[in-house]
Amino acid sequence: MAKDQADISGGDNNHAVAADQLRAFVERIERMNEEKSAIVADIKEIYAEAKGTGFDSKVLRKLISARAKDVSALKEERAIIGLYAAALGMDEGIFG
Amino acid sequence: MAKDQADISGGDNNHAVAADQLRAFVERIERMNEEKSAIVADIKEIYAEAKGTGFDSKVLRKLISARAKDVSALKEERAIIGLYAAALGMDEGIFG
Amino acid sequence: MAKDQADISGGDNNHAVAADQLRAFVERIERMNEEKSAIVADIKEIYAEAKGTGFDSKVLRKLISARAKDVSALKEERAIIGLYAAALGMDEGIFG
Amino acid sequence: MAKDQADISGGDNNHAVAADQLRAFVERIERMNEEKSAIVADIKEIYAEAKGTGFDSKVLRKLISARAKDVSALKEERAIIGLYAAALGMDEGIFG
DNA sequence: CCATCTGCAAATTAAC
DNA sequence: GTTAATTTGCAGATGG
């Protein structure tokens, strides 16, 4: 077995070490997943609060996703310009 | 207009108030969305680190999602797929 | 068991009927999947041909996806306008 | 310019030729993309029909994707997950 | 409350 | 082999 390879195949003395490593990774990921779930719950709450204040949450969602898309659309546009510039042998740097 | 209803339509000065409220909600949600993205990126990093240590990240994901689910529900699902497979004369052993 | 429910649970005489139905659905889907794969392969071929003619396939892909996005962006825009119109109690029909 | 290179940059009359070629490639690809979309829609319809007949479409999807894969690879994967689960002291029964 | 549907995340797949 | 892109699958949200 390569030395940079975790051993979980059992039978020999590296077993425990790999199991501990595995457990550590699993715990870290599960901890982060919990944090993520908490944030998702918070976001849901804010939408509910907005709804209670009279805002249509569907419209609000569209608005926010539209704003997010504007940003990614801008990046996309620059990427396309860069590609065409490269295709034409231009210096892409001039676009910032 | 009901007093608990945000004003986003009228022709009076409540416009500004509703607009401020809306802006506040949008900012709060976008802030939380950024936090969520950061966490998702962190999780991705941990998987990468685990992979670098020799663990199979695909297997790791399946393991973690299995831990998040109810054991009896998992067994139940497998049993149903097994029934379908049997109806087709497939090797039922392959499901897990 | 409800009469509109496929029986794959075994043991009784509806077993064979449901198995035949299941097999038919599986075969239809797998047939369509094959067609889809053939089309995907064809598309790949066209890109290769374009590349052989001197076109940068990466640029070509960007061009085509940008054209596709223009169409969906228009639909999205109309959907948003419709939502706002509805929120304001307007007749959406006037937008076409 | 090499003679097998499409001209999308020069200042001469080959412009028109390259533009026509490009247009032709774009049209062919977009045509195929439409066909692909039609097939995808058809597949979706079949799943809906199967669901209407009482089959669980989620299970059906898993079944079909399993059929598309190599059986020994699937068994191998399950065995590895079992090893990981054992390292964590989980109930391995849910994987096998 | 269920069933449909959109939107997001993950897994596969292709390109380099 | 590794990153990037497409596609599939899932979960959450909305409307009946």
Side-chain angles (χ1 to χ4, degrees):
Chain A
M1 171 182 285
K3 77 177 208 306
D4 64 345
Q5 183 86 12
D7 176 12
I8 46 99
S9 59
D12 59 50
N13 52 1
N14 286 338
H15 204 178
V17 175
D20 283 349
Q21 282 183 321
L22 178 60
R23 195 181 311 275
F25 280 124
V26 168
E27 279 169 11
R28 283 172 66 195
I29 292 168
E30 288 181 343
R31 177 80 184 80
M32 297 304 274
N33 277 337
E34 278 168 33
E35 285 187 37
K36 195 180 79 165
S37 299
I39 301 227
V40 168
D42 285 348
I43 292 171
K44 199 176 165 183
E45 253 184 79
I46 302 176
Y47 275 112
E49 189 186 337
K51 193 173 189 172
T53 313
F55 292 104
D56 182 326
S57 60
K58 192 173 177 181
V59 172
L60 198 47
R61 280 176 194 281
K62 279 281 178 197
L63 184 62
I64 286 169
S65 84
R67 281 164 60 92
K69 277 178 190 166
D70 277 350
V71 174
S72 65
L74 180 62
K75 286 184 185 172
E76 175 77 0
E77 201 175 314
R78 288 193 174 222
I80 292 175
I81 290 173
L83 273 177
Y84 279 104
L88 297 175
M90 295 172 63
D91 177 7
E92 304 172 44
I94 64 174
F95 295 107
Chain B
M1 170 183 288
K3 76 177 208 306
D4 66 345
Q5 181 85 15
D7 176 10
I8 57 165
S9 63
D12 55 53
N13 54 7
N14 285 337
H15 254 158
V17 175
D20 282 350
Q21 282 183 319
L22 178 60
R23 197 185 319 276
F25 281 124
V26 168
E27 279 170 11
R28 283 172 66 195
I29 292 168
E30 288 183 342
R31 177 80 183 80
M32 298 303 274
N33 277 337
E34 279 168 33
E35 285 187 37
K36 193 179 80 162
S37 300
I39 302 235
V40 168
D42 285 349
I43 292 171
K44 202 175 163 184
E45 256 184 76
I46 301 177
Y47 275 111
E49 189 185 337
K51 188 177 188 175
T53 313
F55 291 104
D56 183 326
S57 59
K58 186 178 173 180
V59 170
L60 202 45
R61 279 178 193 279
K62 292 206 175 187
L63 188 69
I64 286 171
S65 88
R67 282 165 64 91
K69 287 177 193 166
D70 183 42
V71 173
S72 62
L74 281 173
K75 291 189 177 181
E76 169 83 4
E77 189 188 70
R78 279 193 52 215
I80 294 175
I81 297 180
L83 282 175
Y84 277 53
L88 294 181
M90 290 172 66
D91 175 4
E92 309 167 46
I94 64 176
F95 297 102
Chain C
M1 170 182 286
K3 77 178 207 306
D4 65 345
Q5 182 88 12
D7 176 13
I8 46 99
S9 59
D12 59 49
N13 52 3
N14 287 338
H15 203 177
V17 175
D20 284 348
Q21 283 183 320
L22 178 60
R23 195 182 310 277
F25 280 124
V26 167
E27 278 170 10
R28 283 172 66 195
I29 291 168
E30 289 182 342
R31 177 81 183 80
M32 297 304 273
N33 277 337
E34 278 168 34
E35 286 187 36
K36 196 180 77 163
S37 299
I39 302 230
V40 168
D42 285 348
I43 292 171
K44 201 175 163 183
E45 253 185 80
I46 301 176
Y47 275 111
E49 189 186 337
K51 192 173 191 173
T53 313
F55 292 104
D56 182 327
S57 60
K58 193 172 177 183
V59 172
L60 197 48
R61 280 176 194 278
K62 280 281 177 196
L63 184 63
I64 286 169
S65 83
R67 282 165 59 95
K69 277 177 191 165
D70 278 349
V71 175
S72 65
L74 181 62
K75 286 183 185 171
E76 175 77 359
E77 201 176 316
R78 288 194 174 220
I80 292 174
I81 291 173
L83 273 178
Y84 279 104
L88 297 175
M90 295 171 64
D91 177 6
E92 305 173 44
I94 64 173
F95 296 107
Chain D
M1 169 182 285
K3 78 177 206 307
D4 65 346
Q5 180 88 11
D7 177 10
I8 56 166
S9 62
D12 56 52
N13 54 8
N14 285 337
H15 256 157
V17 175
D20 283 350
Q21 283 182 318
L22 178 60
R23 196 183 320 274
F25 281 124
V26 168
E27 279 170 11
R28 284 172 66 194
I29 292 168
E30 287 183 343
R31 177 80 184 79
M32 297 304 273
N33 277 338
E34 279 168 34
E35 285 187 37
K36 195 179 75 164
S37 299
I39 303 230
V40 168
D42 285 348
I43 293 171
K44 199 176 165 183
E45 257 184 74
I46 302 177
Y47 275 111
E49 190 186 337
K51 188 177 188 173
T53 312
F55 292 103
D56 183 324
S57 59
K58 187 178 172 178
V59 170
L60 200 46
R61 280 176 193 278
K62 290 204 178 189
L63 189 69
I64 286 171
S65 87
R67 281 165 64 90
K69 289 174 193 167
D70 184 43
V71 173
S72 62
L74 284 173
K75 291 191 176 180
E76 170 82 5
E77 188 188 73
R78 276 193 52 214
I80 294 174
I81 296 179
L83 282 176
Y84 277 51
L88 293 181
M90 291 173 66
D91 175 8
E92 308 166 49
I94 62 174
F95 298 109

